[in-house]
Amino acid sequence: LSKNILRLWLKLLKKLFQTYSWKKSRKIKVIEEREYASRKDLHVKIIKLLTTLYFEEPVGNIKKYVEKCIHDRERRKIYVLMVDQQVCGVAIFNIIQGTIASLMEIVVHPRGKGYGTMFLEMLKERFRREGIIRITIPVIASNEEVKYFYLKNGFKKTVYGGMELDLEKCAPNCC
């Protein structure tokens, strides 16, 4: 993609997702995809968020992936970060044996404002309430920024090249 197209795409994304300061906001919550009132509208927003992560992937492929996740509710859960009634993040997990949440995707917009850390903290609390004891990340890319994000949020490297967080061993708001 040319730089001009990328710049135009990023400009469009900034207009689609307004920037909020979550530290000043009082209306922050994490909901499951099926709890959202206008699900069709939400699915479009989830696809748009995922295109910020996979901007080289055709939108049609991302749409098929999201639809597959939505229809596989037995094993997959989609969580959405809402800030002042705006969709600011999405996380997709595979649920294994009812006690392990394997992170497949997580993306927030805008980046660098603390949304990712806050989203992860709220997901940890929700998972504890739902009986999830471990969060795993099967594979970590070679991106050092991504590795640092998970390490600073309490995850440990595994011998298999991924990361995990044992929710039973860490106290709430401490890992």
Side-chain angles (χ1 to χ4, degrees):
L1 292 173
S2 74
K3 288 184 180 180
N4 290 336
I5 292 173
L6 264 170
R7 280 191 206 118
L8 183 62
W9 182 243
L10 290 173
K11 240 183 197 181
L12 176 66
L13 287 173
K14 285 180 182 177
K15 287 182 181 181
L16 288 172
F17 302 102
Q18 299 172 4
T19 303
Y20 292 95
S21 172
W22 65 267
K23 293 174 183 171
K24 296 177 185 173
S25 175
R26 292 184 196 104
K27 297 179 182 174
I28 304 167
K29 63 182 177 177
V30 171
I31 62 168
E32 202 171 327
E33 171 267 339
R34 64 182 172 175
E35 298 168 11
Y36 195 82
S38 173
R39 297 215 331 252
K40 200 165 215 166
D41 178 50
L42 176 64
H43 297 165
V44 170
K45 291 177 182 181
I46 290 171
I47 291 164
K48 287 177 182 175
L49 271 172
L50 289 174
T51 58
T52 67
L53 187 61
Y54 301 111
F55 58 88
E56 293 178 356
E57 188 71 29
V59 175
N61 291 354
I62 295 170
K63 184 178 179 182
K64 287 178 188 173
Y65 172 69
V66 170
E67 288 170 357
K68 182 180 176 182
C69 292
I70 290 166
H71 295 299
D72 189 9
R73 292 182 198 269
E74 289 293 316
R75 294 183 318 138
R76 294 191 182 154
K77 288 194 178 184
I78 300 173
Y79 295 94
V80 180
L81 174 67
M82 303 292 297
V83 179
D84 291 331
Q85 299 178 345
Q86 293 289 319
V87 175
C88 292
V90 63
I92 301 174
F93 289 88
N94 274 343
I95 305 300
I96 304 164
Q97 299 174 345
T99 60
I100 299 170
S102 180
L103 179 62
M104 304 311 294
E105 318 290 343
I106 187 167
V107 62
V108 295
H109 185 81
R111 291 182 59 195
K113 305 269 186 207
Y115 287 114
T117 299
M118 183 190 48
F119 193 15
L120 207 48
E121 283 302 316
M122 294 175 84
L123 285 167
K124 289 177 198 176
E125 289 305 310
R126 185 170 183 139
F127 286 153
R128 281 186 181 97
R129 288 191 309 270
E130 293 176 359
I132 300 290
I133 60 171
R134 184 177 306 126
I135 302 172
T136 64
I137 306 168
V139 177
I140 290 291
S142 58
N143 184 329
E144 292 302 317
E145 184 181 350
V146 172
K147 287 180 187 177
Y148 174 74
F149 171 77
Y150 290 113
L151 289 171
K152 81 174 185 171
N153 282 289
F155 284 78
K156 306 287 184 225
K157 293 180 183 178
T158 66
V159 295
Y160 306 108
M163 296 184 129
E164 68 180 18
L165 177 67
D166 188 335
L167 293 173
E168 292 181 317
K169 291 184 180 175
C170 63
N173 300 318
C174 292
C175 62

